[in-house]
Amino acid sequence: MMSRQLKNNLCLALTVFSFTLISSLLLCEWLIFEVAVALCRFPTLHDDSTEVSRGEDAVKNGVGGLRVMLIADLHLFGNFRGHWADRTKRESQIRTAFQASIRHLRPDIVFILGDVLDEGKWAPPDQFERITRRYRRYFVKQLQGTDVEMHVVTGNHDIGFHYDMSEYKVARFENNFNTTAVKIVSKRGINFLLLNSVLMKNDSCFLCKRTVKKLEDAKNALNCLKSKDRKGKCDDLLRQHNLLEYSKSEKQDDISSQPIMLQHFPLFRKNESQCVHADWSSMNLNVSKPLKEDWDVLSEKVSIRLLEMFKPRLVISGHSHYRCDFTHSQISEDKNVYFKVLELTVNSFSWRNNDNPQILLLAIDETSFKYSVCSLPRESFQEKILSKGASLDKPLSVFLQDPDLNGDDKVRMFIIYLLARQIGEEQQGAYGRLSSAEIDSYCAELEASGCDIRPVHYIRKWMSVNSMGSSASGGKKTVPAAHGRG
């Protein structure tokens, strides 16, 4: 018969194991995303302006310009590729990260740059409907009760590549995701041109021919927004793009800016060797390998035509699953550069495609724009936490000295540790709050390894203010504002 002492020891061991497992899962499946996103911010648009406020007045008055959040390549699972357990994990990550980004970043408008689905091109009607319901639950539902708009661009996994698409697949996706082959979205004087780049192949397919006509109409509609005379044909074009009432409610000068062009396929580039701020460290990419037209990028002919037709201020795309900032130069016959445009290719938002998913944050007004990237926790970082049992009884130095973790990972880990120690003290646990000298020591160690510790300074400031506010309000706690490094 088992002795009482042995039973007690087994119960204690099981309790400790369960607590460690639950706390590690809670950290990796929720808290780590909250911390990562809360430390991101939209860039300050003008150097002489104050930092973007998160208050309601700032949102109403447009302080810092329009705040645009862009994500790409979600690849929500179907039934053919991927195990159900993998689907559960990946989509839990996507859902939690999106919820945290809406809550902390408070964008004015969100764009998803295609490949919302992984198997939309193959899915039979019942399966397509199930995946669409998951999309609505993960994304659309999170925006209910907010003023945030969301728009979707069509990708090749949503309807198939050019050779595999059909009118039925295109119509099915457009009807369920409220999009079209060519769509203009205008908000606060900023024009966004959303394109179905799968339909941009320069051939005689009837869907592509129909899209060419829509491109001409969109060009004329954008010209109508600039025109003082908006009667007759202009009224029809603006009504077609749901812009008629908008054009009447806004000042003409506020809606005449050149468009931001949004699409799934990047514009033509020969290879990735000219990418700036590229991030393909986890993809073993050969940057000098030629990119295939109408597969990796749009064809050169179509790309030139789009640039000449719309002369966009900025182009933003997805599809590649990694980040690339690339400047297109349009050359005239006399070999002079007569305009340049920056294209930002957005990293995938799914850990299935990349170890380091990202969100593009764009602050923009009628005359200027700035952007930053919000990097989400690397999956290798989450696995490292789970493998080492990241509970409070583990030395923090195990993580801060790990050569496989980058600076962002180490700073996030320290902030999680710092907040956990504070919570432990508040709940009268065994672990007290870190002293100022201990925090300074850790900060010095982080700085010595090349980390940017500005987010730690912000958290320390919040903790100090929150402590004073708690004392004054009888113990009530506040939540830190979405702020920090971008």
Side-chain angles (χ1 to χ4, degrees):
M1 182 177 292
M2 188 179 296
S3 67
R4 182 185 297 271
Q5 183 63 37
L6 182 57
K7 287 183 179 179
N8 290 339
N9 290 342
L10 287 174
C11 287
L12 178 61
L14 182 60
T15 301
V16 171
F17 172 78
S18 300
F19 174 77
T20 301
L21 179 61
I22 292 172
S23 61
S24 296
L25 288 173
L26 183 63
L27 170 64
C28 288
E29 300 302 327
W30 176 71
L31 183 58
I32 194 172
F33 298 102
E34 293 288 328
V35 171
V37 175
L39 296 179
C40 296
R41 66 178 178 188
F42 281 92
T44 302
L45 195 55
H46 301 292
D47 293 336
D48 58 347
S49 66
T50 57
E51 291 191 348
V52 178
S53 168
R54 303 299 173 190
E56 291 185 3
D57 290 340
V59 174
K60 292 177 181 178
N61 297 328
V63 175
L66 186 71
R67 295 177 299 187
V68 186
M69 176 177 134
L70 301 106
I71 57 178
D73 296 277
L74 313 180
H75 287 265
L76 299 182
F77 281 66
N79 290 348
F80 301 111
R81 305 200 309 174
H83 193 271
W84 66 265
D86 190 32
R87 183 190 78 186
T88 301
K89 177 177 174 57
R90 304 299 184 192
E91 295 190 3
S92 173
Q93 293 170 324
I94 290 173
R95 180 177 66 250
T96 304
F98 185 77
Q99 290 172 349
S101 65
I102 295 300
R103 181 165 52 253
H104 291 289
L105 297 173
R106 300 183 188 177
D108 298 309
I109 191 167
V110 176
F111 292 101
I112 303 178
L113 302 175
D115 280 4
V116 180
L117 315 178
D118 188 55
E119 301 173 9
K121 55 186 178 180
W122 300 322
D126 57 337
Q127 181 187 334
F128 186 91
E129 179 57 32
R130 285 197 298 271
I131 305 171
T132 302
R133 283 200 300 266
R134 296 208 311 273
Y135 160 79
R136 294 184 184 126
R137 188 166 70 250
Y138 299 164
F139 295 92
V140 179
K141 187 177 180 180
Q142 308 310 316
L143 303 182
Q144 292 178 354
T146 74
D147 295 328
V148 181
E149 289 184 32
M150 185 166 68
H151 300 273
V152 175
V153 172
T154 307
N156 57 287
H157 276 263
D158 301 317
I159 62 172
F161 276 105
H162 181 268
Y163 70 88
D164 193 31
M165 68 179 180
S166 67
E167 186 170 20
Y168 166 74
K169 293 177 185 178
V170 172
R172 178 175 69 171
F173 186 83
E174 290 181 350
N175 292 337
N176 279 275
F177 290 85
N178 190 29
T179 189
T180 59
V182 181
K183 180 178 180 181
I184 300 173
V185 175
S186 291
K187 188 173 181 68
R188 215 182 290 167
I190 311 301
N191 300 318
F192 299 92
L193 178 65
L194 283 62
L195 302 178
N196 181 345
S197 48
V198 182
L199 298 177
M200 299 295 169
K201 189 173 177 65
N202 188 36
D203 66 2
S204 58
C205 87
F206 76 98
L207 288 172
C208 298
K209 285 184 175 179
R210 192 164 65 190
T211 302
V212 170
K213 174 64 168 59
K214 291 181 179 180
L215 286 172
E216 291 291 341
D217 288 344
K219 176 185 175 182
N220 293 331
L222 289 169
N223 288 333
C224 286
L225 286 176
K226 301 176 186 179
S227 173
K228 294 181 180 179
D229 181 15
R230 295 174 180 166
K231 297 180 180 180
K233 187 176 181 180
C234 269
D235 270 5
D236 293 338
L237 285 170
L238 293 175
R239 187 179 294 108
Q240 176 183 330
H241 289 274
N242 299 315
L243 296 173
L244 185 59
E245 294 303 318
Y246 174 80
S247 66
K248 293 178 180 178
S249 64
E250 296 284 334
K251 296 179 181 178
Q252 180 200 347
D253 292 341
D254 292 340
I255 55 177
S256 60
S257 62
Q258 291 300 113
I260 312 299
M261 200 160 73
L262 308 178
Q263 57 195 44
H264 183 63
F265 286 155
L267 295 176
F268 174 80
R269 52 183 183 251
K270 292 181 179 179
N271 53 46
E272 307 294 31
S273 61
Q274 300 301 312
C275 289
V276 180
H277 305 304
D279 185 4
W280 47 61
S281 56
S282 64
M283 305 191 71
N284 192 28
L285 186 71
N286 178 6
V287 299
S288 62
K289 179 181 178 182
L291 298 177
K292 185 178 179 181
E293 295 186 34
D294 296 320
W295 190 269
D296 300 312
V297 293
L298 283 177
S299 70
E300 184 174 15
K301 184 175 182 179
V302 169
S303 299
I304 292 174
R305 182 176 182 183
L306 290 173
L307 290 176
E308 290 181 341
M309 180 179 289
F310 295 104
K311 292 184 172 54
R313 301 169 61 192
L314 177 68
V315 179
I316 308 179
S317 57
H319 186 57
S320 301
H321 298 173
Y322 51 81
R323 178 186 177 188
C324 171
D325 299 1
F326 185 89
T327 300
H328 298 272
S329 298
Q330 192 60 39
I331 311 296
S332 62
E333 292 182 358
D334 57 3
K335 305 301 180 183
N336 290 321
V337 177
Y338 63 94
F339 75 86
K340 291 184 177 182
V341 61
L342 174 65
E343 178 174 10
L344 306 176
T345 299
V346 181
N347 203 339
S348 173
F349 193 63
S350 172
W351 284 259
R352 184 186 189 187
N353 300 325
N354 199 316
D355 186 45
N356 183 30
Q358 294 176 338
I359 303 169
L360 180 65
L361 304 177
L362 176 69
I364 185 169
D365 62 16
E366 294 85 353
T367 60
S368 60
F369 65 85
K370 287 186 179 179
Y371 64 95
S372 63
V373 169
C374 178
S375 292
L376 299 172
R378 293 186 300 149
E379 187 165 66
S380 55
F381 175 49
Q382 300 171 56
E383 292 171 352
K384 195 173 289 291
I385 291 175
L386 287 172
S387 66
K388 293 188 177 182
S391 56
L392 292 177
D393 58 350
K394 288 285 183 180
L396 185 61
S397 58
V398 170
F399 297 96
L400 300 188
Q401 297 173 6
D402 193 326
D404 293 331
L405 296 182
N406 63 27
D408 285 346
D409 291 337
K410 292 178 181 180
V411 170
R412 289 168 184 156
M413 190 67 246
F414 175 65
I415 290 174
I416 290 170
Y417 181 80
L418 180 62
L419 294 174
R421 288 290 293 265
Q422 181 193 33
I423 294 170
E425 188 230 23
E426 291 168 356
Q427 296 180 347
Q428 298 181 343
Y431 303 95
R433 185 187 302 226
L434 289 176
S435 68
S436 181
E438 288 176 307
I439 298 175
D440 289 339
S441 176
Y442 281 124
C443 285
E445 186 177 350
L446 288 168
E447 277 193 307
S449 61
C451 298
D452 180 359
I453 63 169
R454 286 178 296 174
V456 180
H457 295 323
Y458 172 75
I459 292 295
R460 292 182 75 175
K461 182 179 179 181
W462 165 76
M463 289 171 61
S464 175
V465 172
N466 194 41
S467 178
M468 291 188 293
S470 175
S471 300
S473 60
K476 293 181 180 179
K477 301 297 175 186
T478 61
V479 178
H483 190 68
R485 71 187 286 271

